[in-house]
Amino acid sequence: MPVSSPAPVHGEVADGFEKVAFAFERNFAERGELGAAVSVVVRGRAVVDLWGGWVDPQCAVEWRRQTLTNIWSTTNGLVAIAALQLVESGDLDVDAPVARYWPEFASAGKGDIPVRWLLSHRSGVTGVPPEHPLGVDDLLDWPKMTLVLAAQEPLFEPGSVSGYQALSYGYLVGEVIRRITGQTVGEFFRANVAQPLNADVHIGLDRSDLQRCSTIVEPAAGAEQVADALAAEPTRAALAALGNPHSLTKNVNSARWRVAEIPAANGHGTAYGLATIYGALVDDSERLLRRETIEFGRTGQGRCRDVVMALDNEFGLGFTLGSHQRSFGPNSRSFGHDGWGGSTAFADVERGVGFSYVMNRMGTSLRDDPRKMVLVEATYACLSDATTVIR
C-alpha cells in the first residue's frame, strides 16, 4: 500500500527495490525522520539512491543529493579501510607493538600492546577518565589528544575483552597512520580512498563544503541523558569512552567541529558516497583493497560482552561484524560500522552489497537504530525476491 510521506522524497530505485523506497517514506511518516538519505550499490550498480526531508529543524531547506551530514562513528570503518591499505602495502604490521610506530605510546605499561588491539578495541585505552575532564576544544587539538592518550594507562586488561574506544579509536589509529605516512588520517583517506572513487565523503571538511551540511538534531531525550544511559555499567572504561567530554552535540554543527579531524566522530558524507566506498570493496575491482586484505579485516577478533557498550559484540580489524542481531542483514560476515544516532555503512561480500544510511535527527542508539533496520530488512527482502534481477 502506498504511503504518503510528510516530507519531500527524491531519487531513484531500480526495478525490484521498491520496498526500500516504501520503508524510507515510512520513516518520515511514522518514525520521526527529519532529513535522510539511503543508498545501495549491488555488484557495482546503484540500485537505490534516495534522499528526502529537511536539512534543518525549521524544515526550511530541503535535503539534496549532495547534502553532507555528520556520521559519528560510521567514520571508524573509513579509518579501518585506510589502515588496511597500509597493511596491504607492507607499511603496517598489526601484530607489531604500537610503540614501533609511535614510541610515546609505550608509557604507562603499554609497550607490548599491538596495533591489532587498537583496531579491535582491545587496547584498554577507551578514552580519558572523567577525573581528567576534557572539553570540545581538547578534541580539536590533535597534538594534545595524542599526547594525553599516549600517557593514559589501560582501563582494563589489554587483549582480554573489547571496550569500545568511542572517541579514542580515531586518534589512536589515526596517529599510527600519521606516523607511518606523514599525512593526517583525513589527508590519507582523501588521497587513497575518497578521491579515487570520486566519493563525497570527508574526514575534516574544506570550508567551501560547510554550506552543504545538514543540521544535526540531538535525541529528544537529550544527548547528556543518552550518554549517561549508554554507560549502563559505569566503570571507568565506560565513562572514559562515553562521558568525557560530556556533551558533544552542542558543538557538532559548528564550523570548527566540521573542519577538524576527529576520525571517530566527525566524518561527513552522503549516503551515495559511503555506499560507493563499501561497494568498491565487494565488486571484485580491488580498487581499494585486495580480497585477501578484506578477508583479513573482517576476521573476528573474539566475541564478548563489550565492557563499554554492555552489549554482545565482535569487532574485526576496525569494523563491527554482522551478528545474530542482523545488524548488517542476514549475513553474519558482513562488516561496517554504525554511528551514534542512526547512521551506518557496511559491505556484504557474498551478496556484493554496499549499503549506507545517513540522517540528521539522531536516535538514542549507538547501533541498530530502527530507521536503519527497516531499510536493511527491506533491501534484503528485495535481494531475496526471485523476480529481482541485478545486471
Side-chain angles (χ1 to χ4, degrees), residues 5-10 24 28 33-36 51-56 59 61-64 360:
S5 171
V9 172
H10 305 283
F24 187 64
F28 289 97
E33 194 78 275
L34 176 62
W51 61 93
W54 313 95
V55 303
D56 58 316
C59 299
V61 180
E62 285 192 21
W63 195 287
R64 302 172 65 187
N360 61 348

Side-chain angles (χ1 to χ4, degrees), residues 92-104:
L92 175 61
D93 179 355
V94 300
D95 292 315
V98 176
R100 174 187 294 182
Y101 309 101
W102 180 6
E104 297 88 340

Side-chain angles (χ1 to χ4, degrees), residues 1-129:
M1 177 181 296
V3 64
S4 176
S5 171
V9 172
H10 305 283
E12 297 180 348
V13 295
D15 291 344
F17 286 86
E18 294 82 3
K19 290 177 183 177
V20 183
F22 179 73
F24 187 64
E25 291 176 349
R26 283 188 65 187
N27 278 344
F28 289 97
E30 301 175 8
R31 299 184 181 90
E33 194 78 275
L34 176 62
V38 61
S39 186
V40 184
V41 175
V42 181
R43 301 192 186 106
R45 177 193 172 197
V47 297
V48 176
D49 186 19
L50 296 170
W51 61 93
W54 313 95
V55 303
D56 58 316
Q58 296 78 27
C59 299
V61 180
E62 285 192 21
W63 195 287
R64 302 172 65 187
R65 189 173 190 259
Q66 62 267 43
T67 295
L68 299 170
T69 197
N70 195 103
I71 58 174
W72 298 102
S73 293
T74 301
T75 319
N76 285 353
L78 308 178
V79 176
I81 293 168
L84 287 168
Q85 288 184 328
L86 293 176
V87 171
E88 188 168 286
S89 67
D91 293 301
L92 175 61
D93 179 355
V94 300
D95 292 315
V98 176
R100 174 187 294 182
Y101 309 101
W102 180 6
E104 297 88 340
F105 187 81
S107 64
K110 303 194 301 300
D112 294 329
I113 290 178
V115 175
R116 180 184 296 274
W117 291 353
L118 298 188
L119 287 163
S120 58
H121 299 263
R122 289 174 171 260
S123 72
V125 185
T126 61
V128 179

Side-chain angles (χ1 to χ4, degrees), residues 22 95 145 150 172 188 191 224 226 292 339 346 367 369 374 387:
F22 179 73
D95 292 315
M145 287 303 300
L172 296 172
F188 185 85
E224 294 184 8
V226 171
E292 57 264 32
F346 70 84
R367 72 180 192 190
D369 183 276
V374 297
T387 65

Side-chain angles (χ1 to χ4, degrees), residues 23-24 26-28 30-33 325-327 338-344 355 357 359 361-378:
F24 187 64
R26 283 188 65 187
N27 278 344
F28 289 97
E30 301 175 8
R31 299 184 181 90
E33 194 78 275
Q325 292 100 335
R326 298 171 68 94
S327 298
D338 280 6
W340 182 27
S343 64
T344 195
F355 179 101
Y357 161 73
M359 76 302 132
R361 175 170 282 156
M362 295 175 63
T364 59
S365 303
L366 277 178
R367 72 180 192 190
D368 296 343
D369 183 276
R371 295 164 296 174
K372 162 215 158 176
M373 293 301 289
V374 297
L375 294 168
V376 173
E377 290 163 6

Side-chain angles (χ1 to χ4, degrees), residues 121-178:
H121 299 263
R122 289 174 171 260
S123 72
V125 185
T126 61
V128 179
E131 59 263 32
H132 303 291
L134 297 173
V136 171
D137 286 343
D138 297 316
L139 299 185
L140 306 181
D141 187 339
W142 188 274
K144 178 172 183 176
M145 287 303 300
T146 53
L147 182 67
V148 168
L149 291 170
Q152 176 62 48
E153 65 180 6
L155 298 174
F156 60 84
E157 181 64 30
S160 59
V161 291
S162 72
Y164 183 48
Q165 300 157 181
L167 286 171
S168 61
Y169 170 90
Y171 297 107
L172 296 172
V173 180
E175 183 64 6
V176 171
I177 290 172
R178 191 185 74 83

